[in-house]
Amino acid sequence: MSVAAEPQIKTQSFVIDLPDPALPPFFVQLVELRGSVVITVGTAPTPYAIAGDFACAMHTAQGPPSSTALTPNASTSLSMSAKFSRRYKRQVFLSLDLAAFTTQGRPANNLVLTLEKALLMKLDPFLKETK
């Protein structure tokens, strides 16, 4: 008798509504693989501009996560993916499509902080249970 293997890939999609009614909802898609997670965030339902701001961070046993930009304009995803990698102790690929909120090549800091907090509230139940 064979036992069915547990799925190795898990996906979840959800919408984040930020407190500011002037901001549109953010659509988030998670793809969890063994030891890593791919997070894509955009302001329109998929397909949104994946890799507009794209980075990868890898958890290390000692010291800060090792992170790298996968696109030229990845400053926001670079720092956020490192924080998520440290928090969830896994490799994190993070793609942000914040082009509509970019001024002088960077999204507004208050938007980034608000989005990061909202993402953590949604990600914690999904990623902390599967460590």
Side-chain angles (χ1 to χ4, degrees), residues 1-2 4 8 19 31 35-36 53 55 64 87 111-112:
M1 182 169 125
S2 65
Q8 299 299 311
V31 178
S36 66
D53 183 342
R87 183 180 189 101
L111 169 68
V112 172

Side-chain angles (χ1 to χ4, degrees), residues 15-126:
V15 177
I16 293 177
D17 290 311
L18 297 181
D20 185 348
L23 294 173
F26 285 87
F27 297 88
V28 180
Q29 184 174 34
L30 300 175
V31 178
E32 185 180 10
L33 308 166
R34 182 179 291 163
S36 66
V37 63
V38 179
I39 306 167
T40 54
V41 180
T43 55
T46 56
Y48 30 86
I50 193 164
D53 183 342
F54 197 25
C56 174
M58 295 173 51
H59 174 71
T60 58
Q62 298 174 353
S66 173
S67 56
T68 189
L70 300 175
T71 58
N73 301 319
S75 61
T76 304
S77 63
L78 188 64
S79 63
M80 202 180 292
S81 66
K83 290 177 188 177
F84 291 170
S85 181
R86 182 173 38 251
R87 183 180 189 101
Y88 301 117
K89 296 180 179 25
R90 65 184 75 204
Q91 183 179 29
V92 174
F93 293 89
L94 178 62
S95 174
L96 300 173
D97 180 13
L98 304 178
F101 306 100
T102 302
T103 57
Q104 298 176 356
R106 297 184 61 122
N109 282 340
N110 59 343
L111 169 68
V112 172
L113 292 174
T114 305
L115 178 60
E116 183 177 334
K117 288 178 185 177
L119 268 171
L120 287 172
M121 289 178 62
K122 291 284 193 171
L123 293 175
D124 276 354
F126 185 71

